[in-house]
Amino acid sequence: MMRKVAIVGAGMTSFVRRALETPKELSYQATKVTLDSCGLTLDDVDCIAHGTAPDAFDGLHQNGEYMVDGCGGWNKPTMRVYVGGGTGIHAVVHGWHHVASGLFDTCLVVCEEKMSSALPHAQAFFLTIFDSITERPLEPNLLWIFALEMNRYMERYGYTKEDMALVAVKNKQNGLKHPASQFSEKVTVEDVVNSEMMAYPVSRLDVSPVSDGAAAVLLASERVARRLTDKPVWIEGVGWSLDTAYWATRDLYYPRYTDTAARMAYDMAGIREPDKEIHVAEPYDPFDYKALHHLEGLQLSPRGKTVELLRDGHFDIDGNLPMCPSGGLLGVGNPIAAAGTMKVCELFWQLRGEAGQRQVPGNPRRGVAQSWGDLMQVSSVVVVGN
Amino acid sequence: MGILERNSRNIDNRCWNPGIKAFPVKNVYTAGVAGQRFFEELKENGKIYGSKCEKCGLTYVPARIYCEKCFDHLLEKDWVDVGIEGTIYSYTLVCKTKSGGPKEKPSIMAAIRIADGLLIHRLGDCREEELEIGRPVKAEFKPKQDRTGSIEDIMHFKPL
Amino acid sequence: MEDTIKVAGGTGLTADDIKSGKIFLTEDSLDCAYAWDTGVAVNRYLAELKQGKIIATRCKKCKRTMLPPRLFCELCFIPCSNWQYVQDTGIVNTFSICHVHWDATRIGKDEKPHLPAVIEIDGASEGMGIMHLLGEVDPEEIKIGMQVKAVWKPEAERTGSIIDIKYFKPL
């Protein structure tokens, strides 16, 4: 029998292009502020679930082991998960297991990424994720797969670059109100469309930045949660899925992995009509088109109608289904694993009415966060409610 | 013969460094908040600093910004000059190079106990016979103008 | 409304901070190389490429003709032992025009952009694409759904590699 699991605390570092802090120190800052947020100390923590994406970014192989003391893992049961960009939410799912199983009453979930360590550019290290024999000799670049997917997605529904740019504009606008955001400038559709062409159809401002940062949440069993707070945010459903790594052999216009993961999470949460029952969504948005792509996979928007809804303000903070009120990866920053966890932090704050200027009106009671990664094949989904 | 060569010899169906011959990437590491100050002291003043957690009674060397046991923030006031002497906690004679080849002259690597910390460094200016666990050692620094704010600003530790 | 969210740390450094030399940095590179065994199925694939042919495997259960060929069908999870030649033509499923090298450095003024594409190979099951490059085409002219054909390296230069096909060009 699974136990109920609540989020009782959340915290993060500022997301920055290049941090002075070491990966351990970033982890410590996010973890400490999370503990402080719910008045706990390390003694109250039973176990740690932590995550970072490719070790190559931090340049520390076994980065999970390296950062463990910064995550509060000293002498505690600690386990790292890794599913590339999906790690940030997958780690929360992983932490949920620890508490739902009855094995532990509290679990700290900490994700960190320090991408500035990687030279000449973090992107270079992605060369090694492609099939070493059938793909790597072509000297692929990470942008290729995004560009290929974005092009396929746009072609399928007749979307334009301007349509996609609307997401970047909206998310970056939301991000301006996030105290941890890496950005301070508003952008327009023209800015996005006219920014440097990297890999058609991907321009520079279609892409989230390279960032350093960490984020954490504290999970607790119902008994502990009720003692700690009168505003617990419950994890009502979790889901995850990996599609085949033969990525070129499945049609890229639809994220099947997100569909599968979302349905698993909704089933657990007893949600039948996600577009009506979800009040706030944080789909993974490393690229602007990805937010829309994922909204469709999350069953929050009919396939091919998403741009129409976007243009109608459906996904604005005061719309029917606010999307990425945090600003997302495009608006806050994208320290890979930490970015996913940041989305869960955002839902925690939104559902408690603590999101300040970004607060979604109307007391949202249910939210979904999703992250995505590996070779365009994994999704991790968390549904929360209060 | 290198390990790589050995492993790939006599294999017909291998795929050898396809496309890109090398993978010229590197990493650059910041010293961090604590490291920034720790190396500043090493470079400018030839001092080794630790940070003390009053609650746990532990002095970490090198200094850190937090106590890993109780998670207290270690602040400016918690920094302590721990001197430049320590004792050999353990040591090893390194006879092979990084890639496993023979090394002309063995080097001696040691874990050196300073306060409650362990610093990994070389032992130098000594004979093998002098090595003994528990023996006091002292840091020998590079001349100030050659220091860069790195652990290499200490040339080695010398047995006393 | 009060923003009560908790943020600490994440001290940003600027390029000037780095240039000033006041920030202590340590550099390292891995300086290592890998060699991969190509495995059973892909080894045959490469050997056939060297002959100027593309070969796929067929799953007897789901009837998919799969590229790249594989020892097992990942959907049915049974071994694949049926080999089948496919054409060296196909259609562009999606493409990009890339102005960035693999390491994110920008391509030079005189360099042509890279033209990666997913190409659905004729003779393989629908949707069975491989990633490759396009060539002999004006980037502006590329269209999804376009028919293309492999341009092979001269036989003497082929090594048994995916790049024995130089690129695919419009038919």
Side-chain angles (χ1 to χ4, degrees), chain A residues 95-154:
Chain A
W96 171 86
H97 282 103
H98 284 49
V99 180
S101 66
L103 201 54
F104 301 104
D105 273 325
T106 53
C107 177
L108 248 174
V109 179
V110 188
C111 283
E112 178 274 345
E113 208 74 57
K114 188 162 185 189
M115 300 172 74
S116 65
S117 308
L119 295 177
H121 191 281
Q123 231 177 71
F125 291 81
F126 280 110
L127 176 67
T128 56
I129 71 172
F130 289 90
D131 186 287
S132 52
I133 296 153
T134 61
E135 294 176 340
R136 191 162 153 182
L138 300 164
E139 301 188 19
N141 159 322
L142 183 71
L143 283 169
W144 286 15
I145 50 175
F146 288 106
L148 294 169
E149 188 178 69
M150 180 171 172
N151 198 8
R152 184 75 187 158
Y153 178 59
M154 285 166 47

Side-chain angles (χ1 to χ4, degrees), chain A residues 80-360:
Chain A
R80 175 193 184 185
V81 287
Y82 173 81
V83 278
T87 301
I89 289 180
H90 207 79
V92 176
V93 174
H94 183 57
W96 171 86
H97 282 103
H98 284 49
V99 180
S101 66
L103 201 54
F104 301 104
D105 273 325
T106 53
C107 177
L108 248 174
V109 179
V110 188
C111 283
E112 178 274 345
E113 208 74 57
K114 188 162 185 189
M115 300 172 74
S116 65
S117 308
L119 295 177
H121 191 281
Q123 231 177 71
F125 291 81
F126 280 110
L127 176 67
T128 56
I129 71 172
F130 289 90
D131 186 287
S132 52
I133 296 153
T134 61
E135 294 176 340
R136 191 162 153 182
L138 300 164
E139 301 188 19
N141 159 322
L142 183 71
L143 283 169
W144 286 15
I145 50 175
F146 288 106
L148 294 169
E149 188 178 69
M150 180 171 172
N151 198 8
R152 184 75 187 158
Y153 178 59
M154 285 166 47
E155 159 82 15
R156 176 78 183 206
Y157 301 122
Y159 295 156
T160 63
K161 265 183 70 61
E162 283 77 12
D163 294 334
M164 302 299 109
L166 288 168
V167 176
V169 171
K170 183 190 78 62
N171 286 12
K172 285 177 190 292
Q173 176 76 32
N174 291 351
L176 292 178
K177 296 178 181 163
H178 197 298
S181 171
Q182 188 167 338
F183 305 98
S184 53
E185 278 177 37
K186 199 178 160 175
V187 301
T188 64
V189 168
E190 290 71 40
D191 292 337
V192 179
V193 173
N194 297 327
S195 62
E196 183 191 2
M197 179 58 74
M198 312 271 289
Y200 173 84
V202 175
S203 302
R204 200 172 57 79
L205 290 177
D206 289 313
V207 194
S208 58
V210 166
S211 318
D212 294 350
V217 290
L218 189 76
L219 308 183
S221 64
E222 184 170 14
R223 184 175 60 85
V224 173
R226 297 231 186 260
R227 211 171 59 212
L228 283 174
T229 174
D230 51 11
K231 288 198 292 183
V233 170
W234 303 102
I235 296 183
E236 297 183 340
V238 299
W240 68 100
S241 169
L242 270 130
D243 207 330
T244 171
Y246 292 107
W247 63 272
T249 70
R250 51 184 149 86
D251 209 324
L252 300 174
Y253 79 92
Y254 186 68
R256 198 165 57 192
Y257 38 86
T258 305
D259 182 318
T260 317
R263 287 177 197 278
M264 175 180 166
Y266 295 148
D267 274 353
M268 191 184 298
I271 293 176
R272 292 183 189 285
E273 294 181 285
D275 56 335
K276 296 196 177 66
E277 296 176 60
I278 297 286
H279 306 141
V280 50
E282 282 280 345
Y284 203 61
D285 60 330
F287 287 61
D288 45 19
Y289 82 92
K290 258 301 182 186
L292 307 182
H293 199 234
H294 288 148
L295 280 175
E296 294 177 10
L298 287 166
Q299 315 304 312
L300 296 177
S301 177
R303 297 188 205 182
K305 300 276 180 228
T306 311
V307 164
E308 210 174 297
L309 289 171
L310 176 73
R311 286 192 178 273
D312 286 348
H314 188 75
F315 302 120
D316 291 350
I317 283 208
D318 56 1
N320 283 344
L321 179 58
M323 179 261 282
C324 294
S326 65
L329 283 50
L330 289 160
V332 188
N334 186 11
I336 311 281
T341 310
M342 175 275 285
K343 285 179 172 290
V344 179
C345 293
E346 180 69 10
L347 292 183
F348 176 72
W349 292 318
Q350 288 288 351
L351 266 55
R352 285 163 60 109
E354 296 174 351
Q357 294 174 49
R358 302 184 318 287
Q359 183 62 49
V360 166

Side-chain angles (χ1 to χ4, degrees), chain B residues 4 8 11-20 22-31 33 35-36 39-40 43 148-149, chain C residues 11 13 18 21-40 43 46 102-103 160-161 163:
Chain B
L4 214 53
S8 55
I11 302 171
D12 297 328
N13 54 343
R14 68 170 194 253
C15 190
W16 176 256
N17 276 349
I20 294 169
F23 184 47
V25 290
K26 62 178 180 179
N27 286 105
V28 59
Y29 308 90
T30 55
V33 175
Q36 190 63 29
F39 289 118
E40 183 80 22
K43 180 180 178 222
T148 59
Chain C
T11 312
L13 295 174
I18 301 288
K22 287 181 188 145
I23 301 298
F24 298 127
L25 299 169
T26 308
E27 265 186 30
D28 202 5
S29 71
L30 286 177
D31 189 25
C32 64
Y34 291 89
W36 298 280
D37 291 333
T38 52
V40 178
N43 187 45
L46 299 182
W102 68 275
D103 61 356
S161 158
I163 52 177

